[in-house]
Amino acid sequence: MTDLRIWLWLLLAFSLAMPAQAGPWIRDAGDGYLKLSASNFKGDQYYRAGVATELESGAEAVSLYGEVGLGRPLQLVLLMPYQVATNETEGGVRYENHPLGDVRLQLDADLDAGFPLALSLELKVPLYTPVAEQSLTGDQQAWRTNFPDVGDGNVDVTLKLQAGTSLELVPGWVTGALGYTKRMGYYVDSLSFAAQLGVWLWPEHVHLSVYTQGNINVRADPFPELLASRESVSVEGTLGVTGLPHLEGVSVMLGWGQVVYARYAAKGSLMSVALAHEW
């Protein structure tokens, strides 16, 4: 688990590890959106399966998020993250794990409902080997259970319905999504939800948005001390600036978020910065 934080290289390759936020608006063929972002998460105690530990958890991430129109009614969405997860003891001993995270590939289809309404199918695939399955030696093997995982290493398939509308009273927009996640293997399926409210403080130049997302399991894990399906609800606020002089389609975003509820996972706060381009 050598330190691979070569940030310059990473910023050319990856961005923030958050689920896709495409929304129900489907882009025309060839139109697209690309976002490069970096984040820092500071959490409380780390969970080993469903058992809380005395380790403090944290994570840094960079990821690449993109949308491209395939021609009506389809759109493709991709999220590719790289993460540096850390656990730290009260004595200041740090344990790090820094692989690629879960790649998410999503296909959106416009339902031609007369308003923005899309049906989406998302596939989540881990690009890492869970710590428990890694070949470690020496001290790393002795302290294997102290090293953090960047995810559960599971393949998930989510079917969701997304809807949205533009606001007229004040310039802005609102979106919402509901989904069902089928989790392969022995993990419990879950219901997912997301909502976003955005307003233009300066139309076409400065916007403020609040985004919330979460997942709740459809039933309890039979043996959470051995295999725990995580639940969480988070809220994130974002300030975005676009329409920069001589930089058509470019925007800069600053975000701050909080995991307000978590089960078998750390609660904590998130800060992010992003650079995006739309064409």
Side-chain angles (χ1 to χ4, degrees), residues 16 18-28 31-35 64-70 72-79 104-110 116-122 160-165 173-178 193-196 211-213 253 278:
L16 174 70
M18 295 290 287
Q21 302 177 23
W25 287 276
I26 305 300
R27 298 181 183 275
D28 293 332
D31 289 352
Y33 176 84
L34 191 65
K35 182 171 72 171
L64 184 68
Y65 170 83
E67 306 170 7
V68 62
L70 302 178
R72 292 288 179 176
L74 299 178
Q75 172 175 271
L76 187 65
V77 180
L78 174 69
L79 177 69
R104 296 174 184 265
L105 188 65
Q106 179 174 301
L107 185 65
D108 300 330
D110 186 0
L117 183 68
L119 185 66
S120 302
L121 183 65
E122 178 190 271
K160 54 188 172 184
L161 190 66
Q162 302 189 82
T165 186
W173 68 93
V174 61
T175 65
L178 292 174
F193 65 89
Q196 185 181 53
Y211 177 78
T212 182
Q213 63 179 352
M253 287 158 282
E278 186 174 22

Side-chain angles (χ1 to χ4, degrees), residues 1 46 48 55 87 89 93-96 131-132 136-148:
M1 299 199 181
Y46 177 73
R48 188 177 299 114
L55 298 167
N87 281 343
T89 67
V93 180
R94 289 168 61 90
Y95 301 86
E96 293 188 355
V131 173
L136 304 179
T137 59
D139 289 342
Q140 291 183 344
Q141 168 62 20
W143 298 100
R144 177 190 293 269
T145 57
N146 282 4
F147 285 99

